[in-house]
Amino acid sequence: MRLRVPPGAPAALKVLAAAGAAPEPVRPHLGGPAEGPRALPSPPGLQLELDNGTVLFSANAICQYFYLCRGEEPTDLTTQWLEWEATELQPAVAAALYLRLVQGRAGPDALAVLKHLLTHLEQHLARSGTSHLAGDAVSVADVVVWGSLFPVLQDETSLPSELQVLRSWFRAMSLWEPCRDAAALLPEALRELRTHLAQHPPPLPGPRHEPQDEESPERALTDDDIAAAVDTWARGPAALPPPWQPQTPVLPVEGERNVLITSALPYVNNVPHLGNIIGCVLSADTFARYSRLRGWNTLFVCGTDEYGTATETRALEEGLSPRELCDRYHALHADIYSWFRISFDTFGRTTTPQQTRIAQDIFQRLLARGFLLQDTLEQLRCESCGRYLADRFVEGTCPFCNYAEARGDQCDKCGKLINAVELKNPQCKLCRGTPVVTPTQHLFLDLPKLEGRLEAWLERTWAAGDWTPNARHITRTWLRDGLKPRCITRDLTWGTPVPLDGFRDKVFYVWFDAPIGYLSITANYTDQWERWWKNPQQVELYNFMAKDNVPFHSVVFPCSLLGAEDNYTLVNHLIATEYLNYEDGKFSKSRGVGVFGDMAKDTGIPADVWRFYLLYLRPEGQDSAFSWADLLLKNNSELLNNLGNFINRAGMFVCKFFAGVVPDMVLTAEDQRLLARVTLEMRQYHQLMEKVRIRDALRCVLSISRHGNQYIQVNEPWKRIKGDEKDRQRAGTVTGVAVNVAAALAALLQPFVPGVSAAIQGQLLIPPERCGLGMGLTCTLPAGHRVGTVSPLFQKLEPEQVEALRQRFAGGQVSGTQAKQPPPASAPPPAPNAAAAPGDPKLIQELTEQVAKQGNLVRQLKAAQAEKAQVDAQVAKLLELKQQLALAEGRSPEVPKGKRKK
Amino acid sequence: MAAAVRGAEELELLERLLGLPGGNKYGVQGERKVPVLQTNNGPGLTGLVTIAAHLVRRARKEQLLGSSAEEKAVVQQWLEYRVTRVNGGSSKEDTRTVLKDLNMHLEDKVYLAGNIFTLADILMYYGLHHIMVDLTVQEKEKYLNVSRWFNHIQHYPGVRQHLSDVVFIKNRLYTNAH
């Protein structure tokens, strides 16, 4: 007989206790790899191999077996307890342990999910009048139930005091020798269990215990809700998690939840538009901030994707080397994201020696393991240039409509997709020579060979991780259509060189190369990057992207890593957004339609308002559309009238009525209901954020301030303060509760609008150690706390201001060529058309373009640390252009930029 | 999708199979619709496995629960697997895992507990019936051991009753022509 108990197996305790009660001693084999016959269900865990070769994998059946060996036959009652334990208690205990060990919730919070089951036990013991579950002696039922409960309770005093009978049963069981011996192993086991649970989160407990997504927090409050909320409130700052103190560089820590977050790498020479920003970097940033607030050990990585044909083409057009071009645009990207307050731990690039080293290593490993194929492709080659031509480098006559200037990939006239070798009279775009069709050797990743591994991995990761439905759907579609070998090499020079004879003049195709950027960027951040990327046991990986990027992250890149067989960390949670449209159309750089990252700051609208509106619109589950009118509405209604108004009023009352000192609070039933209401919203917020449903979580925050406004409105502290002693006390309580709700909002808002959050913390003088994000509303600003100067957080947007912006970004009048031209670094700004009347849309359009271009130029100069005189000259030009624009738009040039007051 | 055989219905099938007079009234409890058997003496029994084992003992067919300690523990284990893993509302992925698990387990066994027919086979058959009805020919071939076992159990005297006969083709439907 062999008993195998892997570390952290949730059911270890009861099995060890039952083994201790067995007639013959059983020596458990703790930990170690699985040996002998394969046990069910997969993955193998705790098991007992009997002498006849039978393997028991169910902990309860193992306990039952030890008791059968003692000659104790199962009865109706013991069978019933075992069934109850397996179907009801185990799932609830797993959820409670997850809450406590992984999410760090307080004991009583975690026990809440078990409450009805504990009551059931109490009632049974009290009614039956016996000292144990199935009679007066310890039976298998007691061991099994005790073994499940012990890791959550540990001590009978953690049971609610009204469960007296259960308490004494639990104490008696814990003192019984076999249980006591098993329990001695607990501290070690709990640590393992925590890691185990972090990687295998149990399904959420049923709707009875926690509000599900569908259930609105508007549901009626129960007495339990209110009692729990009052309890949390009274615990004060002690109920808050301590602020997370990361070491630098951030590295995984054993036993903690280690969260690695990536945002899809933006292509370097496209200026990101609002859709790109909300699609990955801003979504990832919001989650990264939340993750840090929860005290999870978090690393957030991104960078620019720089290799490929598009960069090479653009560099040729601009007369720069690809490297120079990338340097310029990388700075532009970094600048945009820093303006949006994106909190990358590192923002790197893919054109580094680390990239070459890691990409070539993965390539060599794939090659050595036989996952690469060779095949011949027919491609156009220009002999005079001495190079194979990428599709964009060829022009010719369209084989379908005979249009003479068709491009190598598509005909602009008939719109059909073209295979470059089919073009009639092909011409090299660079030298106008005639390219010839030449066979060329390429390498392919053998995806069909890796399909089995991929599916097995997907099954595991889907069972435990949060993948958005679109990510699962797109992946399934790819698998359903069958995987084909994919070419991983290109005839280019701007890329990671292929380290194989016969291919040395080629580079890796970007889709193979770019995702490796996550690894190489981390490697440039810390030389211990492998602790993040070759550590799936300890690290949870979140990938953020728009849906068009899903197959590369769910199929192709995982296949590269699985085939490399180097224990790589693969994605656990794949978060893909739908598309954000612009005023019901598409963002288009070439047509000048939409707001691009570099222009957002020129609108005069603060970064946090942009963040708020984009997150409020986040295309979660379906496409959504950016609209200027809606931006104005949301700013004025949600930010200004709801959120800003509540926080400002709460703070102002403290200043005006109580000389800046938080008054004494005497909670009435009505206040307690508000605490419970806010706590319910906070719980919902956490549930949604844990599932990365960012937009919905933001709705919870807004609901809280709505409740707060209502509360102030009903209680009218501004009237009561003028009343008798009792009224004044009431005014004090309402003000005190409201300002504490405002303090909680500061923490809840931090992932969304960090600048506003900091402003609230500054105004209310909340000390840093009390800025943590609690699970429920707690009194962080006790009576006697002094607040600072309170001022409005948001500014109203005026319809005229927004209408001007709408016209400015509507595009249409820009000719194609003009918009396609990148801002030339040295070109002087063209003189404005002085003859045009003010309000002329064409003039406004032109000036807007020029302001944007000049703005870019200034930023590039600053980023490149150009001489001050040079920068100043260009800044002066920019200011002049802005002034002209203002005049053309018919507004005063000194118009305030709408910056938030601090 | 075929409707699952649930709680009370399953226990009534079992009563007839065991030759019990019937007439028991079953209630259900909670969201999972756990069956409850009201008895004249005592608080009643709750849970599919609990009631099923109780019925077996009442019908004096204890061999269906296994004879040796080993067999009894194995039967217990598969009954638990049946109520925790094979339930009416499980997802497609869960179902696939269950079929894979069982297919592997049944590779070298006639019945779930090895060489003896037990209550575990009966309840697993009732629990899987609605799943097996919906499998395609290819899937049935993929889970060959489950198919063989299922076909065997559905022809075991008295088990199937009014449930539909799931057809298993022993020769290939399509030959080389396709």
Side-chain angles (χ1 to χ4, degrees):
Chain A
M1 187 155 49
R2 287 170 59 88
L3 177 63
R4 196 177 85 83
V5 184
L13 275 186
K14 57 184 164 190
V15 168
L16 293 173
E24 288 168 50
V26 182
R27 262 176 46 87
H29 174 71
L30 292 167
E35 292 162 29
R38 176 105 161 67
L40 290 168
S42 42
L46 180 139
Q47 64 180 58
L48 178 70
E49 190 192 333
L50 301 176
D51 295 335
N52 66 2
T54 306
V55 176
L56 293 175
F57 56 80
S58 145
N60 288 6
I62 296 173
C63 294
Q64 181 75 75
Y65 175 74
F66 289 136
Y67 271 81
L68 281 162
C69 293
R70 284 165 63 111
E72 291 184 25
E73 291 289 323
T75 65
D76 281 348
L77 205 47
T78 59
T79 311
Q80 179 166 291
W81 279 120
L82 261 54
E83 184 174 4
W84 177 81
E85 193 275 342
T87 55
E88 307 273 342
L89 188 60
Q90 273 184 30
V93 162
L97 282 172
Y98 184 74
L99 291 176
R100 243 208 35 222
L101 297 177
V102 181
Q103 304 189 344
R105 295 216 203 157
D109 272 6
L111 271 193
V113 299
L114 284 178
K115 193 160 179 227
H116 64 289
L117 299 173
L118 297 175
T119 312
H120 174 76
L121 279 166
E122 166 83 11
Q123 284 170 354
H124 174 86
L125 284 165
R127 271 194 217 135
S128 70
T130 52
S131 64
H132 288 88
L133 292 176
D136 278 321
V138 176
S139 73
V140 64
D142 298 289
V143 173
V144 162
V145 172
W146 173 86
S148 266
L149 285 177
F150 191 79
V152 238
L153 299 177
Q154 297 194 30
D155 190 297
E156 75 272 4
T157 53
S158 40
L159 282 165
S161 55
E162 67 269 19
L163 304 181
Q164 273 308 323
V165 191
L166 183 60
R167 273 189 169 195
S168 61
W169 169 83
F170 189 78
R171 185 172 50 238
M173 283 303 294
S174 304
L175 290 173
W176 185 55
E177 197 181 323
C179 287
R180 209 178 52 207
D181 292 349
L185 298 164
L186 189 70
E188 176 68 18
L190 272 186
R191 217 173 13 254
E192 300 282 357
L193 184 55
R194 176 173 159 164
T195 320
H196 172 88
L197 281 169
Q199 284 152 14
H200 307 95
L204 277 179
R208 202 169 4 162
H209 325 305
E210 280 194 59
Q212 285 285 295
D213 302 342
E214 289 73 25
E215 192 185 349
S216 128
E218 297 299 320
R219 72 178 170 87
L221 294 170
T222 64
D223 292 347
D224 288 353
D225 292 333
I226 294 174
V230 171
D231 183 50
T232 314
W233 169 267
R235 290 176 55 214
L240 297 176
W244 178 57
Q245 306 280 358
Q247 78 283 43
T248 28
V250 188
L251 291 172
V253 177
E254 175 146 18
E256 285 191 20
R257 185 166 176 183
N258 298 299
V259 178
L260 175 55
I261 299 170
T262 70
S263 159
L265 305 182
Y267 199 65
V268 75
N269 63 17
N270 292 337
V271 178
H273 58 62
L274 296 182
N276 305 136
I277 288 169
I278 184 61
C280 42
V281 281
L282 180 53
S283 295
D285 177 63
T286 306
F287 185 72
R289 286 173 180 275
Y290 174 75
S291 174
R292 295 184 191 115
L293 269 180
R294 286 295 298 272
W296 301 336
N297 194 39
T298 306
L299 182 71
F300 177 22
V301 175
C302 190
T304 41
D305 169 16
E306 306 193 344
Y307 284 133
T309 326
T311 317
E312 221 176 349
T313 322
R314 173 63 69 84
L316 278 170
E317 282 171 4
E318 294 194 24
L320 294 169
S321 73
R323 166 71 62 194
E324 287 165 341
L325 185 94
C326 290
D327 288 348
R328 184 200 287 179
Y329 277 95
H330 175 80
L332 181 66
H333 275 269
D335 190 38
I336 290 171
Y337 300 134
S338 101
W339 187 75
F340 275 99
R341 300 201 168 96
I342 306 297
S343 62
F344 302 122
D345 289 294
T346 176
F347 184 74
R349 37 206 307 196
T350 55
T351 48
T352 64
Q354 287 285 13
Q355 174 79 9
T356 307
R357 200 175 62 74
I358 297 169
Q360 292 188 347
D361 174 58
I362 291 174
F363 168 81
Q364 296 287 13
R365 299 184 69 99
L366 287 168
L367 187 69
R369 286 162 181 74
F371 292 121
L372 297 180
L373 304 170
Q374 264 193 43
D375 203 356
T376 307
L377 290 181
E378 306 243 288
Q379 232 181 314
L380 288 169
R381 182 180 164 84
C382 176
E383 291 302 340
S384 55
C385 297
R387 58 190 289 167
Y388 287 95
L389 300 179
D391 293 349
R392 304 169 182 238
F393 286 100
V394 195
E395 282 178 358
T397 307
C398 172
F400 303 103
C401 72
N402 284 324
Y403 176 62
E405 290 168 45
R407 287 179 290 135
D409 49 353
Q410 194 175 15
C411 171
D412 277 338
K413 189 154 176 233
C414 69
K416 290 213 170 82
L417 297 179
I418 297 173
N419 188 347
V421 292
E422 294 168 354
L423 280 177
K424 294 185 215 162
N425 311 321
Q427 273 192 342
C428 169
K429 209 173 158 184
L430 301 172
C431 72
R432 295 288 151 197
T434 306
V436 285
V437 177
T438 318
T440 161
Q441 284 286 310
H442 279 285
L443 289 164
F444 291 73
L445 181 61
D446 194 350
L447 291 178
K449 206 167 169 182
L450 288 158
E451 194 166 348
R453 293 186 199 204
L454 179 75
E455 285 193 27
W457 165 72
L458 279 172
E459 197 169 317
R460 283 197 309 276
T461 186
W462 281 1
D466 289 321
W467 285 47
T468 50
N470 56 357
R472 289 179 195 243
H473 176 75
I474 292 167
T475 308
R476 268 194 217 106
T477 310
W478 264 58
L479 289 172
R480 192 195 59 210
D481 298 346
L483 299 180
K484 290 161 205 69
R486 271 188 87 91
C487 186
I488 63 164
T489 49
R490 275 316 224 190
D491 287 298
L492 288 177
T493 48
W494 184 237
T496 303
V498 179
L500 184 66
D501 285 339
F503 296 88
R504 298 213 182 259
D505 54 342
K506 299 177 201 289
V507 299
F508 290 126
Y509 205 166
V510 279
W511 65 257
F512 175 77
D513 194 58
I516 296 173
Y518 296 136
L519 283 57
S520 73
I521 290 167
T522 314
N524 281 311
Y525 166 74
T526 166
D527 54 3
Q528 300 184 66
W529 64 278
E530 290 178 340
R531 288 178 58 191
W532 284 107
W533 285 100
K534 295 187 183 177
N535 192 358
Q537 298 80 7
Q538 290 187 342
V539 173
E540 253 183 283
L541 174 56
Y542 286 80
N543 285 168
F544 285 79
M545 68 202 68
K547 66 179 170 189
D548 52 344
N549 242 321
V550 167
F552 298 102
H553 290 79
S554 69
V555 176
V556 180
F557 188 47
C559 276
S560 300
L561 295 184
L562 286 166
E565 294 178 358
D566 207 6
N567 192 34
Y568 279 107
T569 306
L570 298 174
V571 57
N572 301 92
H573 312 278
L574 201 155
I575 314 297
T577 53
E578 302 287 323
Y579 294 134
L580 178 72
N581 292 317
Y582 180 77
E583 299 257 329
D584 298 327
K586 279 198 170 130
F587 283 88
S588 165
K589 183 77 187 165
S590 55
R591 288 183 294 121
V593 175
V595 181
F596 289 78
D598 49 343
M599 306 170 187
K601 79 169 111 170
D602 300 332
T603 59
I605 297 172
D608 271 2
V609 174
W610 281 111
R611 286 181 63 114
F612 167 81
Y613 184 59
L614 290 172
L615 290 164
Y616 189 94
L617 275 188
R618 184 169 185 263
E620 229 167 77
Q622 60 186 40
D623 289 359
S624 61
F626 173 94
S627 131
W628 285 103
D630 189 45
L631 168 67
L632 171 126
L633 192 72
K634 293 301 174 324
N635 178 75
N636 293 354
S637 63
E638 292 292 1
L639 283 183
L640 190 73
N641 289 342
N642 174 13
L643 196 63
N645 187 36
F646 170 69
I647 294 168
N648 188 247
R649 281 210 285 180
M652 284 309 283
F653 291 157
V654 177
C655 295
K656 254 165 75 180
F657 303 146
F658 301 96
V661 176
V662 176
D664 280 327
M665 289 161 265
V666 184
L667 298 186
T668 65
E670 188 186 354
D671 308 316
Q672 295 179 345
R673 269 200 304 281
L674 178 79
L675 304 186
R677 191 53 78 202
V678 172
T679 297
L680 275 191
E681 293 283 358
M682 286 174 74
R683 252 192 254 154
Q684 176 94 351
Y685 167 94
H686 284 295
Q687 274 181 22
L688 291 165
M689 283 304 262
E690 281 165 20
K691 296 269 163 211
V692 206
R693 289 178 49 187
I694 295 171
R695 188 190 60 184
D696 294 341
L698 180 56
R699 301 288 199 275
C700 291
V701 181
L702 296 171
S703 290
I704 292 175
S705 67
R706 211 163 283 130
H707 288 305
N709 273 322
Q710 231 167 36
Y711 173 75
I712 292 183
Q713 211 55 38
V714 168
N715 286 292
E716 303 182 314
W718 61 91
K719 281 190 189 160
R720 304 221 179 191
I721 193 71
K722 296 174 193 144
D724 60 14
E725 180 62 30
K726 215 175 126 220
D727 270 345
R728 280 204 302 281
Q729 189 196 50
R730 184 74 198 129
T733 303
V734 171
T735 304
V737 169
V739 80
N740 271 288
V741 173
L745 282 170
L748 291 164
L749 283 168
Q750 207 271 349
F752 301 94
V753 283
V756 172
S757 169
I760 301 170
Q761 283 163 5
Q763 294 186 7
L764 300 181
L765 298 179
I766 311 173
E769 71 276 9
R770 286 191 234 157
C771 290
L773 178 54
M775 288 292 147
L777 179 62
T778 188
C779 183
T780 42
L781 303 179
H785 173 86
R786 180 169 287 280
V787 305
T789 313
V790 174
S791 58
L793 293 163
F794 303 102
Q795 265 209 350
K796 193 171 180 188
L797 283 176
E798 298 299 337
E800 306 78 55
Q801 188 186 353
V802 168
E803 180 54 27
L805 289 167
R806 194 182 69 77
Q807 288 184 6
R808 182 170 143 195
F809 292 105
Q813 290 99 340
V814 197
S815 76
T817 47
Q818 191 187 348
K820 265 186 207 159
Q821 288 299 326
S826 54
N833 183 351
D840 177 357
K842 190 161 181 202
L843 173 66
I844 293 174
Q845 182 65 42
E846 273 174 21
L847 283 167
T848 308
E849 287 272 310
Q850 287 169 18
V851 168
K853 278 184 190 172
Q854 187 66 17
N856 276 344
L857 176 60
V858 169
R859 268 189 300 283
Q860 283 159 15
L861 288 173
K862 282 183 180 167
Q865 301 186 334
E867 277 177 46
K868 191 173 181 303
Q870 197 189 352
V871 176
D872 287 348
Q874 298 296 341
V875 168
K877 272 185 197 161
L878 177 63
L879 291 176
E880 193 190 345
L881 277 169
K882 280 187 175 168
Q883 209 156 18
Q884 285 171 1
L885 175 63
L887 285 170
E889 285 176 351
R891 62 185 161 92
S892 150
E894 289 83 24
V895 82
K897 289 196 65 180
K899 282 256 163 68
R900 185 164 34 80
K901 287 186 209 152
K902 289 241 174 168
Chain B
M1 193 173 155
V5 184
R6 294 301 291 266
E9 189 194 345
E10 190 169 358
L11 287 165
E12 281 158 14
L13 286 166
L14 179 65
E15 282 181 357
R16 276 196 289 281
L17 168 64
L18 293 170
L20 287 169
N24 282 326
K25 283 239 181 308
Y26 296 105
V28 289
Q29 179 184 302
E31 296 137 43
R32 290 195 309 114
K33 303 252 186 291
V34 178
V36 179
L37 171 64
Q38 291 307 330
T39 49
N40 297 330
N41 47 346
L45 293 172
T46 308
L48 180 69
V49 170
T50 306
I51 301 172
H54 170 80
L55 294 176
V56 167
R57 278 193 281 267
R58 225 170 61 191
R60 306 241 151 257
K61 299 211 162 122
E62 275 92 347
Q63 71 277 12
L64 286 176
L65 299 173
S67 307
S68 64
E70 285 86 357
E71 281 173 8
K72 285 174 186 168
V74 171
V75 172
Q76 158 82 25
Q77 155 164 299
W78 285 104
L79 290 173
E80 181 188 318
Y81 187 90
R82 161 67 176 81
V83 284
T84 52
R85 307 289 295 272
V86 188
N87 42 30
S90 39
S91 70
K92 272 231 142 51
E93 276 168 45
D94 294 342
T95 306
R96 263 205 354 228
T97 314
V98 165
L99 289 174
K100 257 170 83 175
D101 277 0
L102 286 175
N103 200 50
M104 201 168 75
H105 177 73
L106 288 166
E107 198 166 16
D108 55 355
K109 291 172 196 71
V110 180
Y111 301 104
L112 286 173
N115 293 320
I116 53 158
F117 174 75
T118 66
L119 181 63
D121 295 301
I122 300 171
L123 292 194
M124 193 70 82
Y125 164 78
Y126 292 145
L128 285 180
H129 185 272
H130 73 284
I131 295 171
M132 297 303 287
V133 166
D134 283 341
L135 290 191
T136 61
V137 177
Q138 287 83 354
E139 284 169 315
K140 285 179 195 164
E141 215 158 277
K142 183 172 170 196
Y143 305 112
L144 196 63
N145 303 319
V146 178
S147 296
R148 171 183 45 71
W149 164 86
F150 190 89
N151 198 23
H152 185 42
I153 303 300
Q154 73 174 350
H155 291 115
Y156 206 91
V159 174
R160 183 169 67 85
Q161 304 180 36
H162 72 270
L163 295 179
S164 59
D165 189 4
V166 180
V167 179
F168 295 89
I169 307 243
K170 295 204 182 80
N171 49 338
R172 286 177 177 269
L173 254 188
Y174 305 103
T175 50
N176 297 337
H178 285 268

